[in-house]
Amino acid sequence: MSRYLNNKYVSLEEYVPGEQPKDMRYVKLNTNESPFPPSERVVEAIDSEAVKQLKLYSDPDASELREKIAGLFGYEKENVFVSNGSDDILNFSFMAFCGRGEHSVVFPDISYGFYKVYAELHGAEYTQIPLREDFSIDPEDYVGIGKNIVIANPNAPTGLALSRAAIERIVASNPDNLVLIDEAYVDFGAESAVGLVNKYDNLMVVRTFSKSYSLAGARLGFAIASESLISDLNKIKFSTNPYNINRLSMIAGCRAIEDNAYYMNNCKIIARTRRNVTEELRALGFEVLDSRANFIFARTPDISGEELYSELKKRGVLIRHFKTERIKDFNRITIGTDDEMNVFLRSVKEILGRI
Ligand SMILES: *Cc1c(COP(=O)(O)O)cnc(C)c1O
């Protein structure tokens, strides 16, 4: 830290992304990327002509991409905001809507780590609401709370999901506050709240191309909400970085939407593999939460979470371990291809002496 850093950032604790070690080739099950490549249409669209066009700024209105996304969900372009990853949208949302008093914000105590970081970054008052004993979110904790609400559905890193009816109850009971539903993992088997945007002007649904659309490296996220909420996000965007999506990612996003069926099929494959791996781990004595995401969250009485993580790393398999007290015995394991999961399961059996 230099002595020039603004005082208000001195005690800010930044988000720590999953590790990306370069020392060897790992079976990478630690950051919830897709094991499948982008579709052919996406790969072919990033051609030399597209690269030549990089001399020009990208479209600050992102018209084509917003129209494509709107079309997919039955909304208008004015209901869609696109950004450089959904993290960017979460950041903009905390900046735009969260603050003190009536603008304070609540989110679960165990959820995506960035919510707390953004709340602190933007000086917002925040409350972390404890998950139930079984790690699920109790929707009643949020009904009529009268504060801004941020919920990941499915939640991370638990993978547990709320029903659309539960989300609607929360949204309907807090008409004077923003309810932001982060649906980063919804395509893997949870109910989306996107269809409720027409009905509630306080609902914002945030999505990403990083997981279900195999584009983590392109950095593309989007939000669907009422026109007025979207215009607030645009106000922040045009006050920071109007060209927030680069040309190549814009093309990738448009072509990916055209190949929606390919990606939805990949999600089905991942859900099937998730069910198989869950069963196998349970048979080995693991407790595995009922995930609706492209990862599972699991613990076993036979070995600590940290030890399993490091033993797997020695064998070339990366998973994600969190040191937070309440979940320190768990690990989050991204669902890869069947082959990758077989390597993972074999290594687990070896570590537990079951081979
Ligand atoms: C991965 C993830 C994001 C971030 O996605 P990007 O679009 O890659 O920035 C947001 N929310 C949750 C819950 C995530 O797991």
Side-chain angles (χ1 to χ4, degrees):
M1 190 187 312
S2 82
R3 61 198 168 93
Y4 307 105
L5 183 68
N6 189 323
N7 279 336
K8 67 183 181 183
Y9 299 127
V10 168
S11 62
L12 179 67
E13 274 184 57
E14 63 265 44
Y15 177 78
V16 183
E19 62 188 321
Q20 312 271 17
K22 309 276 188 294
D23 58 332
M24 61 179 272
R25 246 182 109 99
Y26 288 93
V27 174
K28 202 170 167 305
L29 309 176
N30 70 328
T31 46
N32 298 343
E33 291 131 327
S34 173
F36 302 114
S39 61
E40 278 303 309
R41 223 183 288 232
V42 170
V43 173
E44 282 165 13
I46 313 293
D47 58 10
S48 61
E49 185 52 35
V51 173
K52 281 182 195 151
Q53 292 303 315
L54 284 175
K55 68 183 183 188
L56 302 174
Y57 277 112
S58 55
D59 174 12
D61 195 40
S63 295
E64 187 189 353
L65 181 55
R66 289 169 68 203
E67 265 157 24
K68 287 244 181 311
I69 295 167
L72 185 64
F73 294 100
Y75 284 100
E76 301 297 324
K77 180 187 135 195
E78 287 67 32
N79 298 112
V80 179
F81 181 79
V82 287
S83 198
N84 184 29
S86 61
D87 286 340
D88 221 22
I89 301 181
L90 297 170
N91 182 31
F92 286 0
S93 299
F94 275 85
M95 197 188 298
F97 306 110
C98 299
R100 313 200 141 257
E102 59 179 330
H103 296 293
S104 63
V105 60
V106 301
F107 41 84
D109 64 338
I110 295 169
S111 192
Y112 188 39
F114 244 135
Y115 305 150
K116 185 169 172 237
V117 176
Y118 290 138
E120 289 186 353
L121 175 63
H122 299 299
E125 282 172 356
Y126 64 92
T127 309
Q128 293 175 281
I129 300 183
L131 298 181
R132 289 188 183 116
E133 202 54 42
D134 66 0
F135 301 99
S136 63
I137 291 172
D138 184 350
E140 294 310 312
D141 289 342
Y142 298 84
V143 169
I145 199 167
K147 292 175 178 169
N148 292 320
I149 296 168
V150 178
I151 290 177
N153 193 44
N155 195 16
T158 64
L160 298 173
L162 288 174
S163 68
R164 184 172 129 129
I167 297 288
E168 180 162 15
R169 213 169 120 64
I170 294 169
V171 175
S173 66
N174 291 286
D176 298 325
N177 297 92
L178 173 75
V179 179
L180 188 158
I181 305 298
D182 180 349
E183 293 190 349
Y185 301 104
V186 78
D187 290 328
F188 300 101
E191 292 178 354
S192 175
V194 163
L196 299 173
V197 163
N198 261 335
K199 208 167 152 189
Y200 300 99
D201 67 359
N202 62 324
L203 170 63
M204 185 187 306
V205 176
V206 175
R207 294 276 195 108
T208 177
F209 282 80
S210 296
K211 280 87 186 218
S212 49
Y213 287 86
S214 304
L215 285 175
R219 313 303 306 127
L220 265 186
F222 60 97
I224 298 188
S226 63
E227 210 177 313
S228 58
L229 284 177
I230 297 300
S231 71
D232 294 340
L233 290 180
N234 270 316
K235 189 191 219 15
I236 303 288
K237 166 182 141 156
F238 282 94
S239 305
T240 48
N241 181 6
Y243 308 107
N244 64 339
I245 301 182
N246 70 74
R247 277 178 166 269
L248 298 183
S249 294
M250 197 99 75
I251 291 169
C254 290
R255 300 296 86 82
I257 295 282
E258 292 164 7
D259 267 337
N260 198 51
Y262 164 79
Y263 295 102
M264 293 306 110
N265 189 52
N266 286 347
C267 291
K268 277 195 194 133
I269 295 169
I270 287 168
R272 192 176 60 210
T273 305
R274 178 186 70 210
R275 281 191 292 276
N276 294 340
V277 176
T278 298
E279 275 174 29
E280 294 240 21
L281 285 178
R282 284 180 180 157
L284 288 169
F286 277 79
E287 177 190 353
V288 186
L289 302 191
D290 182 22
S291 173
R292 301 301 173 93
N294 68 338
F295 57 81
I296 50 176
F297 202 50
R299 67 177 162 188
T300 167
D302 297 337
I303 186 171
S304 76
E306 185 152 26
E307 203 183 346
L308 180 61
Y309 154 80
S310 53
E311 285 299 316
L312 281 169
K313 186 170 175 184
K314 282 185 205 161
R315 289 166 175 78
V317 179
L318 278 185
I319 60 174
R320 186 85 193 255
H321 180 255
F322 298 92
K323 291 192 193 302
T324 313
E325 186 56 29
R326 204 177 155 193
I327 54 170
K328 69 178 179 5
D329 290 330
F330 282 87
N331 279 297
R332 193 194 67 193
I333 304 136
T334 305
I335 301 298
T337 60
D338 286 338
D339 285 350
E340 288 173 322
M341 299 323 285
N342 286 336
V343 172
F344 161 77
L345 286 166
R346 235 196 114 69
S347 304
V348 168
K349 285 176 194 164
E350 190 183 292
I351 292 162
L352 296 177
R354 305 289 180 84
I355 290 184

